[in-house]
Amino acid sequence: DMQALTPEMIGYWSFKEAKEVVIPDSGIAFYVEGRSNHAHIDSKGEFVLGRKSGTTSGTASEMLLDLGPLGGYGLGLSRRHAVIRQTGDGYEVLDLGSVNGTWLNEKRLVPHKSYPLPSGSHLRLGRMPLLVLYKRFAETK
C-alpha cells in the first residue's frame, strides 16, 4: 500500500505538478520540484546521484541514478554529485566534492562527510531541489 503525503508533510515546496507524491514500498524516491515525473531506485547498498555523461567514466559496478532527464544538467548537477547509502534504518547522503554543492534542509553539506537522510528531507543538488521519500525499514531483530 502506497502511503500518500499530505501537503503539510511536503512543507513549503510545491509539488503540484506531481499528480500524487507517494512513498514507495521499497527503495527510495526523489521528486523534483516543478516536475511531474520522479526518480525511484530500489537499491540495497549505495548508489550515486548524478547524470550520465557521453563517455562512461566511473566503474561499471557503480550504480548511478541518472537525474539528467529531470533537468539535472541545467540545474548544476555534477556527473557524480552525491552518494546515497543505505544504513540500518534509512539512508545517508555524502557529497562527492560536487562543483555546485549539496544542501540538506537548506544546510550546505561538507564534502565527503556522511549525513543522515531522513524520509521527507529536502535535498538540493546544485540548484536542483529534491524531496526524498522512503519507508523506514522494519527492524529485523
Side-chain angles (χ1 to χ4, degrees):
D1 56 324
M2 297 282 265
Q3 196 178 337
L5 283 191
T6 63
E8 297 76 64
M9 290 167 74
I10 298 168
Y12 57 90
W13 288 25
S14 90
F15 288 89
K16 292 187 283 288
E17 290 82 357
K19 289 174 186 57
E20 51 181 7
V21 175
V22 290
I23 300 175
D25 276 331
S26 63
I28 182 169
F30 298 90
Y31 283 85
V32 182
E33 189 177 25
R35 298 256 171 175
S36 57
N37 44 354
H38 70 284
H40 172 256
I41 190 165
D42 204 343
S43 169
K44 295 289 172 272
E46 64 176 53
F47 59 92
V48 173
L49 289 177
R51 53 187 177 80
K52 284 199 171 76
S53 57
T55 58
T56 50
S57 56
T59 58
S61 62
E62 187 173 79
M63 183 97 94
L64 173 76
L65 185 59
D66 182 14
L67 299 175
L70 297 176
Y73 182 77
L75 294 170
L77 183 69
S78 295
R79 288 193 174 100
R80 296 178 74 256
H81 199 103
V83 164
I84 307 288
R85 193 178 292 134
Q86 198 168 319
T87 60
D89 61 347
Y91 290 89
E92 61 184 16
V93 59
L94 180 140
D95 178 84
L96 291 170
S98 63
V99 177
N100 294 309
T102 301
W103 282 259
L104 178 58
N105 298 322
E106 300 309 314
K107 183 170 173 274
R108 186 162 188 165
L109 304 188
V110 176
H112 307 293
K113 182 175 184 294
S114 296
Y115 293 83
L117 184 66
S119 184
S121 296
H122 294 153
L123 188 64
R124 187 155 58 83
L125 307 178
R127 296 181 310 284
M128 183 176 218
L130 299 170
L131 175 67
V132 179
L133 294 174
Y134 60 86
K135 284 195 168 142
R136 284 181 69 82
F137 307 130
E139 294 298 325
T140 50
K141 286 193 174 69

